[in-house]
Amino acid sequence: MDVDVRQLLPHRYPFLLVDRVLSQDGDDFVCLKNVTVNEPFFQGHFPGEPVMPGVLIVEALAQAAAVGLALREGESNGTTGYLAGIQDAKFRRKVVPGDTLHLEGTLRAFRHGLCKADTRARVDGDVVTEAKLSFVYVG
């Protein structure tokens, strides 16, 4: 899918955590994040054993959900979504340099500026993280 993620999200380097949109079909979305050794967080997390912080995996999932919602709604007007809740987050294995995160999920609700999404991150087909996320959108 040929979509410029920067047109859909307000985030920029080093906090833009979605590299590409793979698909968006109705309420379902899949984005991609290539995890590279030169990511700034690897300098301190952890020296000698680089591991992507779980909170950044959740942030990547939140950004992917925002992309999925923007594409579903046909909007690229710069509306900002703020993470409002994280439920049932589970981390199944480490994410390390060289991994490709497939950030996928299903939008469950979008009413009155509130969005909910069931999300999961996969590496090589295996679920590494899953969470139910809520967002508040303000114009």
Side-chain angles (χ1 to χ4, degrees):
M1 210 171 168
D2 189 23
V3 174
D4 185 354
V5 174
R6 294 169 299 167
Q7 296 296 318
L8 303 173
L9 294 176
H11 307 77
R12 296 295 177 262
Y13 178 85
F15 224 71
L16 180 60
L17 299 174
V18 173
D19 294 329
R20 192 165 26 130
V21 179
L22 298 180
S23 67
Q24 190 279 324
D25 182 24
D27 291 335
D28 298 322
F29 58 88
V30 181
C31 295
L32 182 132
K33 164 70 177 148
N34 292 306
V35 181
T36 61
V37 74
N38 63 344
E39 307 276 358
F41 50 81
F42 283 136
Q43 291 179 30
H45 200 268
F46 300 101
E49 185 186 354
V51 175
M52 186 173 184
V55 295
L56 293 182
I57 299 169
V58 171
E59 174 64 25
L61 287 166
Q63 290 180 22
V67 166
L69 179 64
L71 291 172
R72 186 189 82 178
E73 297 295 308
E75 296 180 7
S76 60
N77 60 6
T79 302
T80 301
Y82 296 95
L83 189 58
I86 303 167
Q87 292 87 33
D88 301 325
K90 293 182 177 59
F91 302 92
R92 308 237 181 251
R93 82 156 177 84
K94 297 186 295 187
V95 174
V96 299
D99 284 346
T100 299
L101 280 174
H102 283 82
L103 308 163
E104 58 188 54
T106 302
L107 301 167
R108 292 291 176 206
F110 182 48
R111 290 181 200 91
H112 309 294
L114 178 66
C115 178
K116 294 185 178 189
D118 295 341
T119 65
R120 68 215 140 266
R122 296 181 191 270
V123 173
D124 296 328
D126 297 326
V127 174
V128 297
T129 303
E130 56 190 327
K132 294 178 181 179
L133 305 178
S134 302
F135 313 89
V136 174
Y137 280 84
V138 294

